[in-house]
C-alpha cells in the first residue's frame, strides 16, 4: 500500500515561493506519473502539473496546467523516492490545500494535503 | 481549458438512486475515455472511485457506476447510504498533457 507523505511551509507572504516535497513509501516510485493538485478553501480541485516517471523515454518530463505554467516547477529525486513542487510569485489567490498524488489521467493515491496560506 | 461543469448539489433518501452529471466538450470528455470520479469527505483527501468512464476501483461498492454520452459523463449511486454523503468530483484528460476537474457536487443523503 503506497503512502505519500508531504511537507513544506504553510504560511507565505505575497511574492514568496512555495516549496513542497512529497515522499513515496511502500510502493514503487518508478513506472508512475506523479502529480500535484490543489484545492482552495471551499472550492474544487485544480490540477497543477505532473512529472513523468512512467517510462524510460519520457522519464523526468513535466507537464503543467497552462494557467500556472509560467510559475510552476516540478522535480524529482529518484534517490530518495521524492518529488517536489515550487510555485513562485505566490498571491492570496494561491491559498489552498496542496496535494501530492500518484498518477496523471487517473489519480490513484493522494497525500494528506498541506494547507498553504498566503497572507501579508 | 475551462473546468468541467457539475451541479453544485444533489440529494436523495437512503435506498434511492442519484445521478451526478459532468459536462465537458468535444475536446475532453467527448474525445477521450479518460473520465474519473473522486469522492471527498470533509477534511479528507479525495478518493478514486471510478476511472476510464465506467471502471470501478477494486473495493468500491458496485452501487457506484459511471457512464458517458457525448460530452457528458455521469456518476450514479444506487441504494444510497449515509456514508455516501460527500463531495464528488469528475476529471477528464483534455489533450495536450492537461487534466481538468469539475467544480464538484455535494451529495446529501436526506
Amino acid at each position: 500500500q503506497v503512502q505519500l507523505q508531504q511537507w513544506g511551509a504553510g504560511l507565505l507572504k505575497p511574492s514568496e515561493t512555495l516549496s513542497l516535497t512529497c515522499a513515496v513509501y511502500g510502493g514503487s516510485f518508478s513506472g508512475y506519473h506523479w502529480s500535484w493538485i490543489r484545492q482552495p478553501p471551499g472550492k474544487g480541485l485544480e490540477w497543477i502539473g505532473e512529472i513523468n516517471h512512467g517510462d524510460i523515454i519520457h522519464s523526468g518530463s513535466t507537464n503543467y496546467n497552462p494557467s500556472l505554467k509560467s510559475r510552476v516547477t516540478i522535480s524529482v529525486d529518484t534517490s530518495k523516492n521524492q518529488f517536489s513542487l515550487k510555485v513562485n510569485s505566490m498571491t492570496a489567490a494561491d491559498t489552498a490545500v496542496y496535494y501530492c498524488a500518484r498518477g496523471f489521467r487517473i489519480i490513484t493515491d493522494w497525500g494528506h494535503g498541506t494547507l498553504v496560506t498566503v497572507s501579508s | 481549458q475551462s473546468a468541467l461543469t457539475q451541479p453544485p448539489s444533489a440529494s436523495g433518501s437512503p435506498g434511492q438512486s442519484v445521478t451526478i452529471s459532468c459536462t465537458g466538450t468535444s475536446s475532453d470528455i467527448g474525445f477521450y475515455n479518460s473520465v474519473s470520479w473522486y469522492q471527498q469527505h470533509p477534511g479528507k483527501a479525495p478518493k478514486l472511485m471510478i476511472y476510464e468512464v465506467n471502471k470501478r476501483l477494486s473495493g468500491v461498492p458496485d452501487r457506484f457506476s459511471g457512464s458517458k454520452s457525448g460530452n457528458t459523463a455521469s456518476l450514479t449511486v444506487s441504494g444510497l447510504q449515509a456514508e455516501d454523503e460527500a463531495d464528488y468530483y469528475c476529471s477528464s484528460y483534455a489533450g495536450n498533457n492537461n487534466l481538468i476537474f469539475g467544480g464538484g457536487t455535494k451529495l446529501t443523503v436526506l
Side-chain angles (χ1 to χ4, degrees), chain B residues 7-55:
Chain B
S9 62
S11 63
S13 298
Q16 288 186 331
S17 292
V18 64
T19 296
I20 298 170
S21 63
C22 172
T23 301
T25 70
S26 57
S27 298
D28 38 68
I29 290 178
F31 194 85
Y32 300 99
N33 286 326
S34 290
V35 177
S36 297
W37 289 92
Y38 301 89
Q39 177 191 65
Q40 186 181 35
H41 287 107
K44 300 293 187 182
K47 171 187 169 185
L48 177 66
M49 306 292 281
I50 301 285
Y51 64 99
E52 292 177 352
V53 177
N54 56 13
K55 297 178 181 176

Side-chain angles (χ1 to χ4, degrees), chain A residues 39 47 63 99 105 107 110, chain B residues 38 40 46 89 93 97-98:
Chain A
Q39 184 173 34
W47 177 74
N63 294 294
Y99 293 100
R105 298 193 189 196
I107 307 292
W110 299 68
Chain B
Y38 301 89
Q40 186 181 35
Y89 293 91
Y93 181 64
N97 294 308
N98 190 23

